Amino acid sequence: MLEIFISAFVTFFVVIDPVGIAPVFASLTEGANARHKRLMAIKGTLIAVAILLFFAAVGEPFLSALGITLDALKVAGGVMLFLIALEMVFEKRTERRENSAERSHQEHLEDISVFPIAIPLLAGPGAIASIILLMASHEGNYLAQGTILAAIGATLLLTLFAFLAASKLMAVMGNTVSTIISRVLGIILAAFASQFIMDGIRNFFLA
């Protein structure tokens, strides 16, 4: 179970990217008081938890109803994650998030918990695809699935801490360290994405 937890935790940590989201949250809540920042961080994280739990519970039956196979989702999810990885390595993801955050901040000054905090920064396409794939890969093994849920819970908890300490975290890390970490995580994510794609293609031809 430890191996499953570590694998799932690394996947979610890389996809959600708490280190990369922290500066975005800081920019979104710039000028707000501490109480508002804390409220947005907690509310946004809880909404993301609810969304990801929903897809963890009914993701595969929902796909089956649409006639989508797990192998197809693996390939599609892998391609999606690989594109995210490329953006991270070439620093496009942070730029896009910051631009989206700035627009959202102007339009939704009071409540940014649903958009863009919960969706798409936390419960984005990559996180949703990852949790569906991981849960489906251990279908019937409730202990393994519980371990996966614990991994996503731990990742979101760390993300919440990063939100709450965003301003101080940015002052300590600086842009250079944040960029280095983001690129390393991008390379790891690219490897996970490639594995998803190869597994999906292999299973398709062996079926």
Side-chain angles (χ1 to χ4, degrees):
M1 290 301 110
L2 180 60
E3 182 179 349
I4 293 176
F5 178 85
I6 293 174
S7 176
F9 177 80
V10 170
T11 300
F12 291 130
F13 187 88
V14 171
V15 171
I16 295 175
D17 188 16
V19 176
I21 290 179
V24 175
F25 180 82
S27 66
L28 276 170
T29 56
E30 185 178 2
N33 57 47
R35 181 180 179 277
H36 181 73
K37 292 181 180 181
R38 185 167 58 252
L39 177 63
M40 291 299 98
I42 295 174
K43 186 178 178 182
T45 303
L46 290 177
I47 293 173
V49 168
I51 293 171
L52 292 175
L53 285 178
F54 171 79
F55 281 100
V58 302
E60 190 174 12
F62 179 72
L63 291 177
S64 298
L66 296 176
I68 300 174
T69 66
L70 179 59
D71 294 329
L73 180 64
K74 283 183 177 180
V75 175
V79 171
M80 189 183 308
L81 295 179
F82 192 81
L83 292 176
I84 293 175
L86 289 179
E87 289 184 337
M88 292 174 67
V89 172
F90 294 104
E91 297 186 282
K92 297 296 184 182
R93 192 184 190 199
T94 300
E95 180 181 349
R96 176 169 51 81
R97 280 174 162 178
E98 288 175 347
N99 292 335
S100 175
E102 184 177 351
R103 291 194 300 269
S104 302
H105 185 54
Q106 295 171 352
E107 298 172 3
H108 305 281
L109 184 61
E110 293 302 320
D111 192 342
I112 57 170
S113 59
V114 178
F115 178 84
I117 296 300
I119 305 171
L121 295 184
L122 294 181
I128 291 173
S130 296
I131 198 166
I132 292 176
L133 287 171
L134 289 171
M135 294 293 285
S137 297
H138 299 280
E139 184 178 4
N141 188 339
Y142 297 112
L143 181 59
Q145 290 183 333
T147 302
I148 293 169
L149 293 179
I152 187 63
T155 305
L156 289 176
L157 186 61
L158 287 176
T159 305
L160 176 58
F161 288 150
F163 282 169
L164 295 176
S167 299
K168 294 181 179 179
L169 189 63
M170 285 304 297
V172 172
M173 285 175 41
N175 292 331
T176 301
V177 177
S178 178
T179 299
I180 293 173
I181 294 176
S182 180
R183 288 187 173 184
V184 171
L185 291 177
I187 294 172
I188 296 174
L189 179 58
F192 276 109
S194 299
Q195 190 64 54
F196 275 140
I197 295 172
M198 289 188 293
D199 288 346
I201 294 175
R202 182 179 65 248
N203 293 338
F204 173 80
F205 285 106
L206 291 179

